[in-house]
Amino acid sequence: MQLPVRISLTFLAVLLVACATGGPPSSTESSDRKDVRARSERKQLDFRLASGTYRCELGQSVEVERHVPGDRAIEVRWEGKQHTLQRQASSSGLPRYEDRQNGLLWIDLPWKSVLMDAHSGRPLANECKPAASRTASG
């Protein structure tokens, strides 16, 4: 396997762990741990990211439409289909949008984004960057 591919796969694995959301706390979980989890879920990061076409590795592209700042959903056009992805809390606070019905997960970072198969954890479109920003919104 080539070094850039190994580095990308390693980074993606770390990113997945960082963006994982936990299930509901168990009844045996300590109150201190519940408080930490509640605080981390409230501290979700909001970046001013672009709407428009995102160009990705291997010649792929994803259309992303962001609405008003603070909106909890984005529209993603992937492989000719429009999907509405809802913002999900992540332990890292990174913007994480998911369409659970269709198994799509979009993770935003200030320097790149990735579209993943939420069921398998496999990247569908990696290293996605805005081609030409139409707007920079929430």
Side-chain angles (χ1 to χ4, degrees):
M1 193 181 300
Q2 295 177 339
L3 184 60
V5 173
R6 284 186 184 175
I7 291 171
S8 291
L9 290 176
T10 301
F11 176 75
L12 192 53
V14 169
L15 182 65
L16 283 174
V17 170
C19 292
T21 58
S26 69
S27 59
T28 59
E29 188 173 349
S30 75
S31 63
D32 289 341
R33 195 162 165 195
K34 287 179 186 176
D35 291 342
V36 169
R37 179 175 291 181
R39 281 193 305 269
S40 70
E41 286 179 358
R42 285 192 299 264
K43 294 181 182 178
Q44 299 300 297
L45 302 174
D46 284 315
F47 302 122
R48 294 186 54 78
L49 298 169
S51 286
T53 302
Y54 278 68
R55 301 282 180 220
C56 311
E57 282 183 333
L58 306 174
Q60 298 171 310
S61 66
V62 179
E63 293 287 329
V64 177
E65 183 65 36
R66 300 173 196 276
H67 303 288
V68 296
D71 197 4
R72 306 313 293 168
I74 60 173
E75 300 293 323
V76 171
R77 186 166 190 78
W78 168 249
E79 293 186 336
K81 294 181 183 173
Q82 189 80 13
H83 302 274
T84 300
L85 284 69
Q86 300 294 323
R87 175 87 186 247
Q88 304 295 318
S90 67
S91 58
S92 67
L94 291 171
R96 179 184 194 277
Y97 297 89
E98 190 170 359
D99 175 354
R100 290 187 175 154
Q101 182 177 1
N102 294 299
L104 291 179
L105 174 63
W106 179 258
I107 299 172
D108 274 323
L109 299 168
W111 59 92
K112 74 171 191 173
S113 297
V114 61
L115 182 66
M116 301 181 67
D117 179 321
H119 301 300
S120 70
R122 182 178 63 89
L124 301 171
N126 198 9
E127 297 287 332
C128 301
K129 298 174 185 173
S133 300
R134 286 195 319 228
T135 62
S137 60

